Amino acid sequence: MEWSGLDKVAVVTGATSGIGKAIVELLVLKGLKVIGLAHHIDKLNALAEELKSKPGKMLPLQCDLTNQNEVMKAIEWIEKNVGSVNILINNAALNLDTGFFTGEIEDWEKIFDLNILGLTYITKEILKLMKKKGIDNGCIVNVNDIFGLKVPINSERPASPAYICSKFALTALTECLRLELAQLESNIKVISISPGLIETEMTQQWLKENPRLALQPKDVADAILFTLQTPENVLVKDLIITPLREI
């Protein structure tokens, strides 16, 4: 994808922490207009303030991806105020300590509501907006997990069965979306990024108790940027990125 500053618009979900925050910072630094979506408007506003002197621009937009009305309002706001979207980065995700003997079924529902259903809904609506505005060279980036590719036998980090199942579902969803776009002869790229252990708010406490090599959110953001900058005829379908020595 050619970069030409503020005429490129990216939407990043889960924009206030971890990978989401890092990718917002990097894209704004590269001169893009970035719409950051998250639950907490205060954190979004604070990030926008931090980035106001950078070449690009961050637009904060509060949105609960598990609420279809809020997603529709966000899409309407984007169309009215920005026009369209070139890049969607599906980063927001939830990992609760719930399995077959721990947690409640409501915890499974919360994980799938965000990690799969919320992601699917905003992707559908962004794709509709791209089609409406005649954009056929956009990018959808799904932030997956190495646990969405293979069930860990001896896990080196905390991940619940519900979270792992949601990431396996995301692997299938990504392939299905690629297939559907290919059948429509669309040039929209669908990219999957599968990181290993990352130091984020979710893993910080665990890493203090279990010190080991971990990726920084910026490492994953750099990898995402690489996949976005390939020529239009090149698709990095799946990229696995882990800390050194992670098995």
Side-chain angles (χ1 to χ4, degrees):
M1 178 178 283
E2 295 285 330
W3 297 100
S4 49
L6 286 167
D7 65 333
K8 285 281 183 284
V9 177
V11 171
V12 180
T13 69
T16 55
S17 63
I19 298 168
K21 183 180 180 185
I23 193 66
V24 168
E25 291 170 343
L26 188 55
L27 292 182
V28 170
L29 191 64
K30 292 290 178 182
L32 274 74
K33 191 177 287 181
V34 181
I35 300 157
L37 300 187
H39 243 323
H40 304 292
I41 192 64
D42 291 347
K43 288 184 178 180
L44 285 167
N45 287 335
L47 183 56
E49 183 67 21
E50 277 179 45
L51 298 173
K52 68 179 184 180
S53 64
K54 305 299 180 190
K57 186 174 185 181
M58 183 202 163
L59 301 171
L61 190 57
Q62 186 174 20
C63 181
D64 177 359
L65 294 176
T66 66
N67 183 319
Q68 289 193 16
N69 286 334
E70 287 198 23
V71 173
M72 279 309 303
K73 283 179 184 173
I75 296 295
E76 287 166 9
W77 186 93
I78 290 167
E79 183 175 7
K80 182 180 176 183
N81 292 278
V82 184
S84 190
V85 172
N86 306 93
I87 300 163
L88 169 63
I89 299 177
N90 284 314
N91 163 72
L94 182 63
N95 179 16
L96 299 172
D97 182 15
T98 187
F100 295 94
F101 298 98
T102 58
E104 304 295 332
I105 197 66
E106 288 81 12
D107 295 328
W108 286 74
E109 289 173 350
K110 286 176 185 174
I111 287 170
F112 273 81
D113 275 351
L114 179 59
N115 297 9
I116 293 300
L117 297 178
L119 180 151
T120 300
Y121 191 55
I122 193 163
T123 301
K124 280 172 67 71
E125 294 305 318
I126 291 288
L127 285 169
K128 283 184 198 173
L129 185 58
M130 285 180 176
K131 184 177 179 182
K132 184 177 178 181
K133 300 295 181 178
I135 292 175
D136 193 46
N137 62 344
C139 290
I140 309 290
V141 180
N142 290 334
V143 179
N144 202 321
D145 192 299
I146 56 169
F147 288 171
L149 308 176
K150 185 177 181 181
V151 177
I153 297 170
N154 295 307
S155 175
E156 290 197 341
R157 61 185 165 100
S160 72
Y163 171 81
I164 292 168
C165 289
S166 76
K167 290 301 187 177
F168 260 78
L170 181 54
T171 299
L173 186 152
T174 302
E175 288 289 351
C176 290
L177 176 55
R178 273 197 204 118
L179 178 61
E180 197 167 332
L181 287 168
Q183 288 169 343
L184 293 169
E185 298 186 348
S186 170
N187 294 319
I188 294 171
K189 296 181 181 183
V190 183
I191 299 162
S192 177
I193 307 289
S194 298
L197 177 62
I198 310 166
E199 185 178 341
T200 63
E201 288 177 13
M202 241 193 280
T203 60
Q204 234 165 21
Q205 185 56 43
W206 184 85
L207 278 167
K208 281 181 185 174
E209 297 161 9
N210 303 271
R212 63 198 64 210
L213 288 174
L215 297 169
Q216 295 302 310
K218 187 179 182 303
D219 299 325
V220 185
D222 287 338
I224 291 171
L225 182 64
F226 162 74
T227 66
L228 292 173
Q229 289 181 310
T230 56
E232 288 200 354
N233 64 318
V234 175
L235 170 62
V236 178
K237 283 188 173 182
D238 301 279
L239 186 62
I240 297 170
I241 170 172
T242 71
L244 189 66
R245 300 200 298 271
E246 182 171 316
I247 296 170

